[in-house]
Amino acid sequence: MTITQLSYVLAVAENQNFTKAAEKCFVTQPTLSMQIQKLEDQLDILIFDRSKKPIELTDIGLKIVEQARNIVNESNRIQDIVDQQKGFIGGEFKLGIIPTVMPTLLPMFLKNFIKKHPKVKLKIEELTTEEIMLRIKDGHLDAAIAATPLEDENIKERVLYFEPFVSYIPKGHRLHSNKKIDVSDLEVDDMLLLEDGHCFRDGVINLCKTFKNQTEEKFQLESGSIETLIRLSNEGLGMTLLPYLHTLEINDKEKENLHYFNDPTPAREVSLIYHKSELKMQIIEALQDVISGVVRGAIAFQNVKIISPLPK
């Protein structure tokens, strides 16, 4: 049994196809198939049910893949141990970022990070928190930037910044004339929300539930992007809440519709998260240093109350 054979098994399990798995592993399909067959012969079992389309794992195959993932991930950490000992900051690093953070934070820090650490090859994906958690646990991500706390014993969290919620209230709305907003002013029936799956949506719902017995069913309009929420609000279809960094990018006319909350300002906690067994700590620390540095000058709020991103 070899690490290479186990890597091939994981590739087939992920792609459910021998040809695609071979392409991902940069080997020919016959080579990959032969190595998996040798492993199955050695163990005297079938890992894959080849009669199914797409290919499926057998019952014993499911257990083997789970263990193979642990073995392959741990074997990959040998190089991480060496790099950490040498203080080397380089190599491939897979980073996930949630959709409501990606468009504002990434342009702020990416150029600085690349310039400061040119030997790091960042592979960045925009993913929901649920996708991020799964990929960190199965070894497909080294770290991610997401709203916290996530209350998972296997995930470590390093807080990067606290980002306030800001009300976007169009002219003609009952609250537009208010200079500042109280959480108790929020009415669920005229709130525009992101679609299900966005943790910022869950934060807004949790904020609305702070006062009054309001239920999610009253929400009338949902969208997949914050930009669309702003456009819908401009059409008089309701108010919405925005993450603070998004408010820095809107035009001057739209900024007239921004209303800040009275203290303590509701805010989300944005953190760098990673598996508790992660070893690429030198890169994680480098990311934290660069991101904290650029955000420190952009967000000056002090008195904030953290709103949980977890659905309630």
Side-chain angles (χ1 to χ4, degrees):
M1 186 186 304
T2 67
I3 298 294
T4 298
Q5 288 174 329
L6 296 178
S7 297
Y8 291 168
V9 166
L10 292 178
V12 175
E14 183 176 343
N15 292 277
Q16 295 182 284
N17 182 283
F18 278 82
T19 301
K20 290 181 180 178
E23 291 173 357
K24 291 286 181 67
C25 296
F26 303 103
V27 295
T28 64
Q29 190 267 327
T31 297
L32 179 137
S33 296
M34 180 184 67
Q35 288 298 323
I36 291 177
Q37 183 67 58
K38 284 178 65 176
L39 179 60
E40 288 179 319
D41 290 344
Q42 179 186 346
L43 298 173
D44 194 25
I45 51 92
L46 286 177
I47 298 173
F48 298 102
D49 184 345
R50 294 162 175 79
S51 67
K52 301 287 182 65
K53 299 295 181 182
I55 292 169
E56 293 182 5
L57 287 162
T58 61
D59 290 341
I60 187 64
L62 285 168
K63 296 178 181 179
I64 288 172
V65 163
E66 184 178 351
Q67 186 63 31
R69 186 174 288 118
N70 293 332
I71 294 170
V72 172
N73 286 344
E74 290 304 315
S75 70
N76 290 335
R77 296 186 193 282
I78 293 175
Q79 186 61 52
D80 296 340
I81 292 170
V82 174
D83 290 343
Q84 194 169 13
Q85 179 66 29
K86 293 180 178 179
F88 174 70
I89 302 178
E92 183 178 277
F93 192 86
K94 294 167 286 188
L95 181 70
I97 307 179
I98 59 173
T100 55
V101 167
M102 180 87 132
T104 52
L105 182 63
L106 190 61
M108 292 176 68
F109 82 84
L110 185 58
K111 187 175 180 179
N112 285 350
F113 184 83
I114 292 173
K115 184 177 180 180
K116 193 170 182 179
H117 303 288
K119 293 181 180 179
V120 177
K121 182 183 178 183
L122 281 179
K123 294 185 70 175
I124 301 172
E125 288 187 84
E126 182 176 283
L127 301 164
T128 65
T129 301
E130 183 178 2
E131 291 170 327
I132 281 170
M133 297 292 277
L134 289 173
R135 295 200 187 194
I136 285 179
K137 289 176 181 178
D138 68 18
H140 286 92
L141 280 180
D142 292 302
I145 299 173
T148 54
L150 295 172
E151 299 177 7
D152 189 308
E153 63 180 11
N154 293 309
I155 301 296
K156 296 287 187 180
E157 302 174 359
R158 290 192 177 203
V159 177
L160 295 171
Y161 57 92
F162 302 116
E163 183 175 25
F165 290 64
V166 181
S167 299
Y168 187 87
I169 308 173
K171 291 180 180 178
H173 190 279
R174 62 183 175 84
L175 297 177
H176 182 77
S177 60
N178 294 24
K179 288 187 177 180
K180 283 204 169 186
I181 301 297
D182 278 318
V183 174
S184 59
D185 293 327
L186 300 178
E187 289 286 353
V188 76
D189 58 359
D190 68 350
M191 183 73 66
L192 304 176
L193 280 181
L194 288 170
E195 293 173 347
D196 196 15
H198 290 269
C199 61
F200 188 75
R201 166 202 171 94
D202 295 322
V204 172
I205 291 173
N206 292 341
L207 183 61
C208 288
K209 287 180 178 178
T210 303
F211 288 86
K212 308 169 188 175
N213 186 23
Q214 307 190 82
T215 58
E216 185 178 345
E217 286 72 17
K218 291 184 179 179
F219 294 142
Q220 54 179 229
L221 277 174
E222 299 176 355
S223 169
S225 75
I226 286 176
E227 289 71 22
T228 302
L229 290 182
I230 292 174
R231 289 197 292 270
L232 291 171
S233 185
N234 288 339
E235 293 297 319
L237 295 172
M239 64 172 286
T240 192
L241 298 184
L242 310 176
Y244 176 75
L245 290 179
H246 280 262
T247 70
L248 304 180
E249 303 297 323
I250 64 178
N251 61 51
D252 290 340
K253 184 178 179 180
E254 290 177 335
K255 284 182 179 177
E256 296 174 3
N257 295 330
L258 297 178
H259 294 69
Y260 297 94
F261 283 91
N262 289 314
D263 287 342
T265 302
R268 65 173 174 174
E269 179 182 88
V270 178
S271 302
L272 193 58
I273 67 172
Y274 51 93
H275 197 274
K276 65 180 182 181
S277 63
E278 179 65 41
L279 286 174
K280 296 182 180 179
M281 296 308 300
Q282 68 276 25
I283 299 180
I284 287 173
E285 289 168 1
L287 276 168
Q288 182 181 16
D289 180 61
V290 171
I291 294 171
S292 298
V294 297
V295 173
R296 194 176 298 120
I299 301 178
F301 292 77
Q302 301 295 328
N303 188 5
V304 298
K305 178 182 179 181
I306 304 306
I307 305 299
S308 172
L310 298 176
K312 290 185 178 180

